[in-house]
Amino acid sequence: MRIKRMFSLMVSLIMIICMLSGCNAQNTADTSSPDEDILLAVNKWKEEFNTTVTDLEITGKTYYISNNGDDNNDGLSPETAWATLDRAFETYWPLTRDLLKPGDTVLLERGGTWYISPDEREGLTSDAYSIVDGVTLGTYGEGARPIIRGDIPEANDPSFWALYYEKNGIKIWASAEKLQDTNVIVFNEGESYADEIMPFWSTTLNDYCNAKGEMFDITTELENDLSFCCMLDLDSAESMDLQNSTAKGTLYLRCDKGNPAEVFKEIAVPQAQTGLALHTNATLVDLDIRYFTCIAAELSGYDGNSGQQVLNCEVSWCGGLISNYQPFDSGTVGILFPYCAGGALQVSGSSNSVRDCYIHHCGPMTLICSIHVDEPGMRKFENMNHTGNLIEYCGTALHIADLSKMDYGDAEGFISNLTFSDNIVMYSGEGWAENHILQIDNEHSMFFSAVDNAMGASNNDGIYITDNIFYGSKANLLCLTDNLWNDTGKVNQPIVFSGNVYAQYKDETLCNFNWERGWGAGYASDEQEFLDFIGDETGIVIVLP
């Protein structure tokens, strides 16, 4: 398959502009031109993305799915299209089981919308449709990318919301049915959103509480309009864990203007945890995937899969479900704080690639490359290439972590040839992710960074971060460590940084290293120290106002 490559030379052009403008580590007097050029380039990137269509090379059969189709059709032409994703990918269908073969392609009609429903089964990918070995899921027709979404359409019905509390102009609404945890509530396709207020857990009360250990009072904790909380029915904090995030409870949304479904034309309440799970050499092309509480798609190698690709897709408003409760080190004894998981795409595997995608409003992570093991020994991921993407208003854009020793003390992880290049990362930790991250971590959290490996450095023979633009972070532009998990040893070699543009706000930090050492932007000596430390001999620092 062929995809139009967008802005492959943009970083080099920005670097030249920076040098001609005198914007480098030695001179930061004039930064307006490079700043403006980056923003103009991003707008141009979006324009091209919205009109780019991938040419597919199809070697097997082609099946079609349309909102106007019928699952009793044969699916072999647009005129005899199927209607649902179930018909192609749900293994419970007798006619679907073992239907798709390597080389086959399933095409969704552009302009259509398909919902993936939350599943009652345990496991973070239990909701997901499996794109089996060698199969491509793409598009046909004219118009906007087809949308695959994990929210519930019922939230758009006024009867879904019951008035729970009203006083002095404050109105809090309760969901008519019990829901799983949701990361964010999105109004009118992203025009605005509601912030989640997460309750803590008191081991003394064996109930929800605030950070002070006081009983959690919905009417006072939702102190701002368009905020919400998910009061899951838990017997104890231990009754929720990462592999069993199907607990349910009532969702409470403050909306002072009235019934949310009457105030807004559309309300998205994410519920399904994961949208799509890609098997070996499976590919997603030209899709719009949104509103999943854990991840939009899984490209992992934990089940032996490799070679998955996501090309020219839009991924948004994913990640952030409460996965468990953990000790609150800086708070009152006996109070546990919520920890959140997920992001845009799980890329923990070998030979996978995310290219030319627009990824926005996801958190607390975006591309997640974390090494876990289920037995002693070595787990190795190799030959990953993520390039040409625009990532904005997300948590950390690239999260790398070797957590093998967390799972088994005598296990180890290894990365070989991971490349993150020609990407644009804008506004890390801003948008809905900012308030979300601050509730689960501190103001210098790694989840605010463009790149982090702070949960555990990875022994490797090549991690390359090259020719990217990193533009603005709410805390650390980079958050790095050379320690393996829990200080169990030093990493064999550092990440290779080369030719990147590091544009950071003057009052924020360029890099936090081992959670202790940091450099502030705005001073030539500190900027050069930063570049020398990470070893980026051709990198450039821009100070943003």
Side-chain angles (χ1 to χ4, degrees):
M1 64 186 63
R2 181 176 63 83
I3 185 168
K4 181 181 178 183
R5 186 71 176 91
M6 296 176 290
F7 278 86
S8 61
L9 299 178
M10 188 178 65
V11 175
S12 297
L13 292 174
I14 295 296
M15 298 277 283
I16 293 171
I17 292 169
C18 288
M19 288 185 285
L20 292 175
S21 303
C23 176
N24 52 38
Q26 285 73 39
N27 186 341
T28 60
D30 180 7
T31 61
S32 59
S33 179
D35 182 14
E36 291 173 356
D37 285 325
I38 291 173
L39 297 179
L40 287 172
V42 168
N43 289 334
K44 182 65 175 176
W45 192 102
K46 292 180 182 178
E47 291 176 5
E48 292 198 13
F49 175 80
N50 289 329
T51 58
T52 298
V53 178
T54 306
D55 294 330
L56 295 177
E57 298 175 0
I58 300 173
T59 60
K61 290 184 177 180
T62 301
Y63 299 91
Y64 298 83
I65 301 178
S66 168
N67 288 155
N68 298 316
D70 188 324
D71 281 346
N72 292 315
N73 290 337
D74 62 16
L76 292 174
S77 71
E79 295 73 28
T80 59
W82 295 326
T84 68
L85 291 168
D86 281 3
R87 184 63 179 84
F89 300 112
E90 179 53 76
T91 56
Y92 292 113
W93 276 75
L95 295 176
T96 297
R97 191 179 300 118
D98 300 325
L99 172 68
L100 298 175
K101 306 297 182 184
D104 288 350
T105 299
V106 178
L107 302 179
L108 300 180
E109 186 175 21
R110 284 178 170 265
T113 298
W114 287 266
Y115 287 85
I116 293 180
S117 301
D119 200 293
E120 300 294 331
R121 293 172 291 179
E122 296 182 8
L124 292 176
T125 60
S126 62
D127 305 330
Y129 286 105
S130 293
I131 313 302
V132 296
D133 291 5
V135 169
T136 296
L137 178 59
T139 71
Y140 76 98
E142 303 293 331
R145 288 174 172 80
I147 300 171
I148 298 175
R149 53 195 297 167
D151 59 317
I152 49 174
E154 295 86 350
N156 294 287
D157 186 340
S159 65
F160 182 84
W161 303 99
L163 187 61
Y164 169 77
Y165 175 85
E166 181 177 14
K167 186 176 181 180
N168 298 328
I170 297 173
K171 295 180 181 179
I172 297 176
W173 305 82
S175 61
E177 60 185 76
K178 293 189 175 183
L179 304 174
Q180 297 180 28
D181 179 53
T182 192
N183 50 347
V184 65
I185 298 176
V186 186
F187 304 113
N188 297 346
E189 296 188 326
E191 288 182 6
S192 58
Y193 57 86
D195 280 319
E196 181 176 15
I197 305 302
M198 303 178 204
F200 290 67
W201 187 273
S202 169
T203 57
T204 302
L205 300 171
N206 198 39
D207 206 341
Y208 289 116
C209 66
N210 59 25
K212 298 179 181 178
E214 303 164 341
M215 187 70 75
F216 190 90
D217 183 350
I218 296 167
T219 63
T220 58
E221 296 297 333
L222 298 185
E223 58 182 355
N224 295 319
D225 191 24
L226 300 186
S227 58
F228 72 96
C229 59
C230 299
M231 304 302 291
L232 304 178
D233 297 335
L234 303 181
D235 296 326
S236 67
E238 287 73 27
S239 60
M240 171 177 279
D241 61 68
L242 191 61
Q243 297 303 317
N244 185 19
S245 298
T246 56
K248 291 186 176 183
T250 302
L251 182 149
Y252 297 90
L253 169 63
R254 178 173 169 179
C255 183
D256 296 341
K257 291 183 179 180
N259 188 303
E262 296 174 340
V263 173
F264 298 100
K265 290 184 293 184
E266 183 192 75
I267 303 174
V269 180
Q271 282 293 278
Q273 295 172 16
T274 301
L276 304 163
L278 279 63
H279 291 205
T280 294
N281 296 329
T283 302
L284 306 179
V285 185
D286 294 355
L287 304 175
D288 182 336
I289 311 171
R290 59 177 77 170
Y291 310 136
F292 289 91
T293 63
C294 186
I295 48 177
E298 178 193 38
L299 292 71
S300 81
Y302 292 127
D303 293 325
N305 294 304
S306 65
Q308 308 99 317
Q309 297 186 78
V310 177
L311 309 176
N312 200 38
C313 290
E314 181 171 353
V315 178
S316 60
W317 304 99
C318 293
L321 87 165
I322 298 177
S323 58
N324 57 15
Y325 283 86
Q326 299 183 347
F328 189 27
D329 294 336
S330 60
T332 306
V333 175
I335 298 178
L336 308 180
F337 77 100
Y339 186 77
C340 295
L345 299 166
Q346 172 71 262
V347 293
S348 304
S350 293
S351 302
N352 58 38
S353 182
V354 178
R355 301 202 309 271
D356 300 299
C357 292
Y358 178 34
I359 306 174
H360 58 96
H361 296 94
C362 293
M365 297 164 280
T366 308
L367 303 183
I368 307 166
C369 182
S370 56
I371 303 177
H372 283 285
V373 299
D374 51 13
E375 59 185 16
M378 175 183 283
R379 167 157 276 156
K380 182 178 182 180
F381 295 147
E382 58 187 351
N383 300 326
M384 297 161 280
N385 184 24
H386 310 307
T387 184
N389 305 290
L390 172 60
I391 300 171
E392 61 178 356
Y393 296 108
C394 293
T396 188
L398 178 63
H399 171 76
I400 310 168
D402 177 6
L403 304 179
S404 57
K405 291 189 180 300
M406 178 182 72
D407 301 328
Y408 285 93
D410 55 353
E412 59 180 314
F414 195 88
I415 287 179
S416 178
N417 192 27
L418 164 60
T419 301
F420 186 79
S421 66
D422 288 314
N423 301 288
I424 315 168
V425 180
M426 307 285 292
Y427 311 120
S428 297
E430 299 188 43
W432 74 267
E434 179 178 0
N435 181 59
H436 201 81
I437 293 167
L438 284 174
Q439 294 181 79
I440 64 171
D441 216 320
N442 61 67
E443 60 184 5
H444 294 290
S445 169
M446 61 186 176
F447 298 130
F448 286 131
S449 304
V451 175
D452 90 77
N453 68 350
M455 291 185 70
S458 300
N459 285 322
N460 70 91
D461 60 10
I463 299 176
Y464 305 102
I465 312 295
T466 63
D467 300 323
N468 303 284
I469 294 176
F470 301 126
Y471 187 102
S473 166
K474 290 299 293 184
N476 320 292
L477 200 60
L478 306 178
C479 194
L480 305 174
T481 182
D482 62 356
N483 294 323
L484 298 176
W485 168 257
N486 203 25
D487 293 336
T488 52
K490 294 290 185 181
V491 68
N492 71 318
Q493 66 179 26
I495 295 173
V496 176
F497 290 91
S498 177
N500 300 298
V501 174
Y502 306 92
Q504 178 62 313
Y505 304 116
K506 64 181 180 180
D507 296 325
E508 298 298 345
T509 308
L510 283 166
C511 181
N512 213 354
F513 180 69
N514 285 351
W515 296 96
E516 297 172 355
R517 184 179 178 187
W519 296 266
Y523 301 94
S525 60
D526 287 350
E527 291 162 15
Q528 189 59 58
E529 181 187 6
F530 160 72
L531 292 172
D532 290 344
F533 179 79
I534 64 173
D536 193 341
E537 297 179 356
T538 56
I540 285 181
V541 174
I542 299 175
V543 181
L544 303 176

